Amino acid sequence: MKESREKKKKTSRKSGFHKLLFGRMQVAMTLFLFIVCVLVAERHNVAVKKSELRLDVLEQEAFQEPPFEKEPECLLLWNSQEDNSVNAAEEMRAVLRQMRVSYEEQDVAIEPELALSGYPKAVLAFGLYDALGEELFEIFDSVKEGMDLLIACPPEADRYYDMVFRQMGIRETDPSERYTVRRLRFKKNFMVGGAGKDFAVSDPFDSANRVILDPECQVYLASADETEVPLIWKYTYEKGDVVSVNLNYFEKAYRGFYAAAYSLLSDSCVYPVINASSFYLDDFPSPVPHGSGEYIERDYGMDVESFYTNVWWPDIQELAEEHGVRYTGLVIENYSDEHAAPLSGNTDTRRFQYFGNELLNMGGEIGFHGYNHMPLVLPNFYYGEEYESYRQWESPEDIRTAMAELNRFCTALYPDEKFQVYVPPSNVLSQEGRAILAEDFLDIKAIASIYFEGQAEYTQEFEVAKDGIIETPRIISGCVIDSYMEIAALSELNFHFVNSHFLHPDDVLDEDRGAAKGWEAMRNRLGEYMDWLYTAAPEIRNLTGTEMAGAVQRYYYLDPLVEEGDGEIAIHLSNFQDEAWLFARVNRGTVSQVINGTATEVAEDLYLVQALENEVILKLSYEDE
Ligand SMILES: [Zn+2]
């Protein structure tokens, strides 16, 4: 089946198809008839085996252990009077919290006197050193004595900066004129996926300080141009390390850079990761998507429906087979604008049978997108400027009716499946709608909406909500993977070791999502992304939506307590269940043996650790020293 499908696809994709000889035409026709027969046969083959989950969501009661009581490891210094510092502190809190770093914070606008003793590390998340005055010297005195320091904000030009920049490893600097960084280049392979490629900055501005560094500095990241302005570097000042991040991008898409920079401080740094890669197919299966088939007609000379069956789906399957991807398809029963009971339903189930069963046979999973494409919102919800065609459901009862109908529809189609993943239409979801999803008449365990803030979108972190529903945000989407998405994907590989991508069948009908480029170009771009991802992170696990939720749940409750001894790093884990994954940055020594787990080097000095017990020991060797 696969072979013939590929042949068919290649035939249909050939340009100059009309020039083919009559004989080849006959072959193609025969092949076509054969495929029709196979399709018809498959359509009737409803006895599909239940897809087996490799990692299920556990009962919440399993996670009883409290996090460890830890001495604060880090002091986060920020200034509520400085706009940039407010953003920097917000991002650094997210980074430290999710890395399970126990930290305290101090707003120097309120409390200008520093008490650094007892903190092994500090993060300096403001750039106007004048505001702190001579207290600033306390910080560098502490570094001299062994405290490690992360400089999160590029400092502003002022006399106090002039007095300390040498202690950051800078020889010359002129911060009065900032440098516009347009691309990033890794000078060391310290982040997963960073090697061998420059990364464009999507909204460049005069962000960075121009600096000339002491040759003792280790430069990890620089601008990708002739100047190669250092953007992340490390300098050892007496007994302490100073890591400077000269990026100035305080937004969610860069958290992985700050996490990686923080991990360069001290001998080692261990933090939990999710280790999951998921690809979601929104609106699939669904009735034939709406939209203009202009470009499909142009490139393939076929109608939208046969394009999906004969070109799009085989291509999507081929991409998955190449990398072991297991899609999560999200069902839409119909595209009506109904928003109150009674609902008309959908009796035409052929496409659902065929595509749904194919997807399950590939080891995929089916989840809910909606009875129709109307988000689960009530009349009190304001959509904003966008989404003019969207309606609000008249009452909570109407939302329940719609979800119950979708559940009935899918259960009849796929009787052995449980529908545990919900993706909100257009990523829009109200609090009331969300509460209904958590009710007992459904099996929803995870909501996969979106990671980045939008207008009306339901924005998430990778976490477990108070009601037990697991938030599994999607990070990037579509076939036009732009520079922002590339940075975000790279960042998340390093922050959570996660990939989460969604694709719509109707991307190919929508000019905003790349339709004019043609499907072939779109498919190739997606293939390129997958090639990058699985080359950068061959160890990452391909999981379906529910399995991703299982991974996020285990990650969310996991708390490591790390003891560094001579020759080893002992990791104690709270809420360890059946498996756990961590990143271990080992700045001194190399891992030579692992007790109760495995370790794979995924970037320079960065190990992906699989814990098999709640105590893992990394044995180190110091041969290079
Ligand atoms: Zn959709």
Side-chain angles (χ1 to χ4, degrees), residues 282-283 332 369 373 425-426 504:
D282 286 16
D283 298 70
I332 290 280
H369 197 23
H373 216 276
S426 298
H504 292 83

Side-chain angles (χ1 to χ4, degrees), residues 11 39 98 161 188 221 235 267 269 341 361 411 489 541 582:
T11 312
L39 294 191
Q98 294 183 51
Y161 175 54
K188 280 187 193 297
L221 187 75
Y235 177 68
D267 288 349
C269 180
N361 279 330
T411 305
R541 295 182 294 176
L582 305 114

Side-chain angles (χ1 to χ4, degrees), residues 568-584:
E568 66 174 44
I569 300 168
I571 307 165
H572 311 271
L573 298 169
S574 166
N575 276 319
F576 174 86
Q577 304 294 333
D578 45 357
E579 60 147 65
W581 297 88
L582 305 114
F583 268 173

